[in-house]
Amino acid sequence: MAAPDRLPPIPPADYTPDQEAAAADFRRRRGVEPFGPYAPLMRSPKVMIDVEALGRRLRYGSCLPEDLKELAICQVARSYSQQFEWSVHAMEAEKAGVSKAILAAIAEGRRPDGMSEDETLIHDAVAELITTKRWSDTTYARIVARHGEQGAVEIPTLVGIYSLLALVLNVARTPADGAEGLARWPE
């Protein structure tokens, strides 16, 4: 049995004025009530709006192509054992062209075989960021050569924002609505 959601969605009738303003802004941008990590973030509505804006910018306006961006997000979800984030982004990654075999390897915590050159670069750069919290000169040069200085900024920012969201989701114990596909690391 899953642990209870610590910070479930707040019923709109119970919103404070700041929460209502934040929810209205979220609805305007997304067309729905705050969900996923944004539901717990509603406890700090101004933070929620700022986090949502940065997340949206990187998710929908990144210099990375969709498949590479979603590959990176899936690696972050795996590194935090974040089922909600995984359930959303593994599906998006597959739609964007990331193979089921690559996603299965990431879900199992393995380095995938059979990646393209671009997938290998992003996978290894993200793995290095997650593991060492920095890039070697070699990795940095490879990223800049392929994705420019913009990529050298956006990739760690993407890893950072999805790490932030994973941490919020983990603390809140936000359920993944029955989605499966990511085994928990031992606690």
Side-chain angles (χ1 to χ4, degrees):
M1 184 167 165
D5 189 348
R6 289 177 172 154
L7 297 168
I10 300 168
D14 295 340
Y15 286 160
T16 67
D18 283 348
Q19 289 169 335
E20 176 50 46
D25 190 37
F26 191 93
R27 282 190 303 271
R28 182 179 55 74
R29 294 179 196 201
R30 299 275 187 120
V32 295
E33 287 298 318
F35 64 94
Y38 306 108
L41 282 168
M42 281 293 288
R43 276 60 179 196
S44 183
K46 291 178 182 172
V47 169
M48 188 276 289
I49 287 300
D50 291 345
V51 168
E52 189 278 335
L54 180 58
R56 184 173 24 82
R57 161 66 184 91
L58 289 166
R59 184 163 181 204
Y60 301 112
S62 174
C63 68
L64 291 178
E66 196 71 14
D67 60 334
L68 300 180
K69 180 184 60 194
E70 292 297 337
L71 175 68
I73 295 168
C74 287
Q75 287 179 257
V76 172
R78 168 67 279 170
S79 75
Y80 286 94
S81 294
Q82 196 1 267
Q83 187 69 22
F84 182 94
E85 198 168 66
W86 178 267
S87 68
V88 170
H89 291 284
M91 180 179 62
E92 293 298 318
E94 193 173 337
K95 279 195 252 180
V98 178
S99 77
K100 287 183 181 188
I102 289 172
L103 292 170
I106 292 170
E108 294 167 6
R110 295 184 294 107
R111 186 178 189 280
D113 294 323
M115 291 185 286
S116 70
E117 189 175 327
D118 282 340
E119 287 170 332
T120 298
L121 175 59
I122 292 300
H123 177 277
D124 293 353
V126 170
E128 188 174 332
L129 276 174
I130 290 168
T131 303
T132 70
K133 314 302 183 248
R134 60 188 43 91
W135 280 332
S136 67
D137 289 341
T138 301
T139 300
Y140 176 82
R142 290 180 66 216
I143 290 292
V144 170
R146 182 67 181 104
H147 299 286
E149 288 182 339
Q150 183 177 354
V153 170
E154 285 189 16
I155 294 165
T157 305
L158 181 73
V159 169
I161 192 72
Y162 280 93
S163 294
L164 180 154
L165 294 171
L167 288 168
V168 168
L169 288 161
N170 283 349
V171 167
R173 295 183 181 154
T174 301
D177 298 325
E180 295 180 13
L182 187 61
R184 290 244 178 242
W185 295 125
E187 306 234 354

